[in-house]
């Protein structure tokens, strides 16, 4: 058996080999030491360190468990033990180990950082940020620490603070491509799209084989409306990682926004197939399928139920009995849930309703999931009795908050659009749950009790379309509109000055399918000197529109394009349009109401699904039946008749805003009363069912 001096020399040699990166030789020498002294503390610890570095977590776990039992006051042993547990995904024991480490040695920066990682995994984001902040205070020169704090702040939605910590990390590690990608994600979420593009492009320069860098570059380009380049960047990402669900999703978004709906749907299907648990991609797929030509109400419902089975059904374990007082003779608690309580077109409909709710009968709660707040958010806050921020909450936690608030009726305003909160509804936190406003359709959720509709969208004299929810039918309109601020006055009829009629459509560009363009081509052919103004992105998208209209006999010079712009500037475009042509199979909703308010009539073709009956609802509420067509030939005739009588068209334009204001479409007190009646009736039925 070797003597202590010999063991010490062997140990020192092992440490030298370890520091030189020759871990195999170091391991062999540590083994010699341990054969001579099985309890050699430092050799055991360093063997465990090599095991951690080599991914042999079980071996490291066994050694470190012995060490912390024998030396419970050693903070480094506890820290390393926590790291092994973290790598083994034993997050609660890991958090305990790191907590012991920092209690013993508060200045141990790495332990605070790792504690933040495991607490974040446990869903305690606020506490995780505190741990990261402590690590950053202790070791501000560590890029990894700055990056960890920045990413946690991004998850919490605190993008402004995150930007600063990303900049610190990049100053310390400027050539790290993945760090530039994370920074680009933060900037994009903060709405700084041009800077985000620069960050993602820098990541591509540093590592052209980084698929995430190409994907993030595509996302920034999409936000900037540069869709052709976005498609190219997404295809670059997919060339590197063909099975990347994120890259397929990025490609889908760019394709859809460039007007290539069918190709975009295929990309979303690929993303969902590759990552079946990606509920946002699946929701995007569901929502956008409602725009596809030939889609049926039954197909929409079948697809929505597939979403329910995949993403909502597993959350049924969180459903608990409701303890709400079973009486309608009290002030009911309404909860509105949305990711769009800000400068979003949704506010044109929520603000007038909220302002006219009966506050003696209803107590209003907002459950907001926002990426950013703005002046409209501030205005909306004043309309609620209580405001809850659920952006950083897991669905079960958000549901528990809603239960504690005692909400009687919970209203979803997003459905499968944007950042959906349907997972929260899947936990059934309120006894009555209702979908409204996002779009007339179905969520597919078995726990969504009702959907709001009206007698034009779902007329009682026609066969009822299939929905997962029961329908609450408003007597006049699904929409209650206000135009917002800084709205221009109605301009004179442009045809009077120009000598020709300008048709137009300022709807989302993905609604412009070949069937719609073919129908519009027939209108323009029947009015030879007319023009067409469209809201369309620059690039190949405009060429595709021109080619489709060319096939319908419309020369390129008769088609004009405008780009996306702020709302006040967008509304000014109606001064250039005499008549709007509606889209199919998904009619204009907000855009058509904007057109009417700006004095521009919208000719509509009634569709076969509920989203294709919006134009019918609008025209009937405005009492202008001549705008409604049941078949394509009648659509062409209606548009041509309007175009040929400029005097009548001018008179119609001059009175449309007043007609809008006087109609149910803008009668907020009346609409709120009708909506509240449906809310109360739905809750009354629950009370009767619960007590029966």
């Amino acid at each position: 058996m070797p003597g202590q001096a010999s063991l010490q020399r062997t140990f020192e040699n092992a440490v030298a080999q370890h520091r030189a990166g020759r871990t195999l030789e170091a391991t062999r020498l540590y083994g010699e030491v341990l054969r001579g002294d099985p309890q050699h503390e430092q050799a055991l610890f360093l063997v465990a360190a090599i095991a951690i570095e080599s991914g042999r977590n079980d071996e490291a776990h066994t050694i470190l468990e012995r060490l912390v039992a024998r030396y419970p006051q050693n903070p480094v042993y506890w820290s390393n033990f926590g790291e092994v547990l973290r790598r083994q995904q034993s997050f609660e024991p890991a958090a305990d180990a790191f907590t012991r480490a920092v209690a013993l040695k508060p200045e141990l920066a790495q332990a605070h950082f790792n504690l933040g990682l495991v607490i974040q995994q446990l869903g305690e984001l606020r506490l995780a940020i505190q741990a990261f902040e402590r690590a950053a205070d202790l070791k501000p020169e560590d890029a990894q620490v700055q990056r960890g704090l920045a990413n946690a702040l991004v998850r919490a939605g605190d993008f402004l603070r995150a930007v600063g910590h990303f900049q610190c990390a990049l100053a310390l590690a400027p050539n790290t491509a993945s760090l530039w990608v994370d920074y680009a994600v933060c900037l994009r979420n903060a709405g700084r799209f041009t800077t985000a593009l620069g960050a993602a492009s820098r990541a591509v320069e540093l590592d052209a084989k980084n698929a995430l860098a190409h994907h993030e570059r595509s996302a920034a380009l999409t936000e900037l409306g540069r869709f052709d380049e976005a498609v190219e960047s997404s295809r670059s990402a997919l060339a590197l990682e063909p099975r990347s669900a994120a890259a397929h999703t990025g490609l889908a978004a760019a394709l859809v926004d460039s007007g290539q709906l069918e190709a975009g749907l295929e990309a979303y299907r690929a993303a969902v197939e590759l990552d079946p648990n990606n509920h946002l991609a699946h929701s995007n797929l569901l929502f956008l399928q409602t725009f596809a030509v030939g889609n049926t109400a039954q197909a929409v419902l079948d697809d929505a139920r597939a979403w329910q089975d995949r993403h909502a059904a597993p959350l049924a374990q969180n459903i608990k009995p409701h303890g709400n007082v079973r009486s309608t003779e009290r002030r009911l608690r309404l909860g509105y849930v949305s990711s769009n309580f800000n400068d979003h077109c949704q506010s044109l409909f929520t603000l007038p309703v909220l302002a006219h709710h009966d506050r003696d009968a209803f107590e209003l709660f907002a459950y907001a999931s926002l990426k950013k707040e703005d002046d409209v958010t501030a205005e909306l806050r004043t309309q609620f009795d209580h405001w809850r921020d659920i952006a950083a909450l897991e669905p079960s936690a958000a549901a528990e908050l809603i239960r504690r608030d005692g909400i009687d009726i919970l209203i979803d305003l997003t459905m499968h659009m944007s950042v959906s909160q349907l997972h929260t509804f899947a936990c059934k936190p309120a006894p009555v749950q209702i979908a409204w406003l996002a779009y007339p359709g179905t969520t597919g959720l078995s726990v969504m009790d009702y959907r709001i509709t009206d007698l034009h969208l779902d007329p009682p004299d026609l066969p009822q379309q299939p929905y997962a929810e029961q329908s609450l039918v408003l007597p006049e309109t699904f929409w209650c509109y206000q135009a917002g601020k800084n709205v221009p006055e109605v301009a004179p009829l442009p045809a009077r000055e120009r000598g020709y009629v300008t048709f137009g459509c300022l709807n989302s560009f993905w609604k412009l399918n070949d069937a719609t363009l073919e129908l519009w081509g027939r209108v323009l052919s029947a009015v030879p000197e007319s023009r067409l103004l469209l809201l369309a992105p620059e690039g190949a998208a405009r060429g595709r529109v021109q080619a489709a209209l060319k096939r319908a006999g419309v020369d390129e010079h008769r088609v004009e394009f405008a780009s996306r712009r702020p709302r006040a500037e967008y509304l000014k475009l109606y001064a250039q349009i005499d008549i709007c042509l509606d889209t199919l199979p998904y009619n204009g909703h907000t855009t058509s109401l904007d057109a009417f308010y700006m004095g521009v009539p919208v000719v509509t073709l009634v569709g076969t699904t509920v989203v294709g009956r919006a134009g019918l609802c609008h025209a009937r509420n405005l009492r202008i039946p001549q705008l409604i067509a049941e078949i394509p030939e009648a659509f062409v005739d209606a548009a041509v008749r309007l175009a040929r009588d400029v005097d009548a068209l001018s008179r119609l334009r001059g009175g449309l805003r007043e007609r809008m204001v006087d109609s149910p479409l803008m009668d907020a007190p009346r609409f709120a009363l009708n909506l509240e009646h449906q809310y109360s009736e739905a809750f009354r039925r629950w009370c009767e069912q619960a007590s029966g």
Side-chain angles (χ1 to χ4, degrees), residues 112-113 115-121 123-133 144-163 165-166 179 182-183 185-186 391-392:
H112 283 286
F113 177 75
L115 177 60
L117 292 178
V118 296
I119 292 175
Q120 189 169 251
Q121 288 290 341
E124 297 288 347
L125 189 56
R126 181 181 60 82
L127 294 176
I129 289 173
Q130 290 177 1
F132 289 135
E133 287 173 334
Q144 180 191 37
V145 169
Q146 295 287 353
R147 181 180 186 177
L149 174 54
N151 279 325
L153 290 168
V154 167
R155 291 187 183 93
D158 194 346
F159 306 116
L160 184 61
R161 283 185 62 205
V163 165
H165 288 286
F166 273 124
L179 179 54
D182 288 354
Y183 184 40
V185 171
C186 173

Side-chain angles (χ1 to χ4, degrees), residues 297-330:
Q298 186 60 54
V300 170
L301 177 58
D302 291 344
D303 290 338
R305 281 180 169 156
W307 190 98
Q308 133 84 28
D309 293 344
R310 165 65 64 179
H311 306 289
L315 294 169
Q317 61 184 347
N318 295 303
I319 297 176
K320 302 175 184 178
H322 299 104
N324 304 59
V325 176
R326 299 173 184 180
S327 169
T328 57
E329 302 302 316
R330 62 181 178 85

Side-chain angles (χ1 to χ4, degrees), residues 502-653:
T502 301
F503 295 102
C505 178
L506 304 183
N507 275 311
S508 297
F509 187 67
W510 62 71
K511 293 183 181 181
L512 273 62
N513 51 61
D514 285 346
T516 296
L517 292 171
E518 188 276 333
L519 181 61
W520 292 355
R522 290 165 60 184
V523 172
L524 268 71
S525 294
V527 186
E529 299 301 318
S530 62
R531 300 289 192 273
L532 177 65
L533 175 61
L534 300 175
L535 199 64
E538 296 180 4
R542 297 183 178 185
R544 287 192 295 273
V545 169
Q546 289 172 325
L549 288 170
K550 187 76 173 178
R551 292 192 293 271
V554 179
D555 290 338
E556 292 181 4
H557 76 275
R558 297 177 62 191
V559 185
E560 302 171 14
F561 297 103
S563 300
R564 284 193 307 189
R565 59 199 63 202
R567 178 168 173 79
E569 296 303 310
Y570 143 80
L571 290 174
K572 290 178 182 178
L573 289 174
Y574 287 104
Q576 304 177 39
I577 301 172
D578 298 289
I579 302 166
C580 275
L581 302 176
D582 210 348
T583 50
L584 58 105
Y586 197 120
N587 291 166
H589 293 184
T590 305
T591 315
S592 292
L593 293 168
D594 288 338
F596 285 122
Y597 194 76
M598 294 306 299
V600 183
V602 183
V603 180
T604 189
L605 177 63
V606 180
T608 57
T609 59
V610 65
V611 293
R613 299 179 66 85
L616 173 73
C617 170
H618 300 159
R620 282 184 175 172
N621 274 287
L622 291 169
R623 302 181 186 277
I624 316 178
Q626 63 267 33
L627 299 179
I628 303 166
E630 297 286 347
I631 58 174
E633 290 75 15
F635 179 92
V636 175
D637 289 345
V640 171
R641 279 198 303 273
L642 279 174
R644 286 179 176 169
D645 192 340
V646 173
D647 291 337
L649 187 59
S650 183
R651 288 193 297 273
L652 180 60
R653 186 185 189 91

Side-chain angles (χ1 to χ4, degrees), residues 360-411:
D360 292 329
F362 299 96
E363 186 176 1
L364 304 186
F365 291 71
Y367 296 95
S369 177
L370 305 179
K371 286 186 177 180
K372 63 176 182 178
E373 299 189 5
D374 52 32
D375 291 344
V376 177
T377 306
E379 186 177 359
L380 282 162
R381 278 179 179 270
T382 66
Q383 301 298 326
F384 287 96
D385 300 297
H386 311 275
W387 185 276
R388 308 287 192 240
D389 182 0
I390 63 170
L393 296 183
E394 293 295 319
S396 58
E400 192 57 38
L401 173 62
I402 293 165
R403 286 192 194 93
R404 288 199 302 271
D405 283 339
I407 298 301
D408 298 304
I409 304 169
L410 192 67
I411 302 103

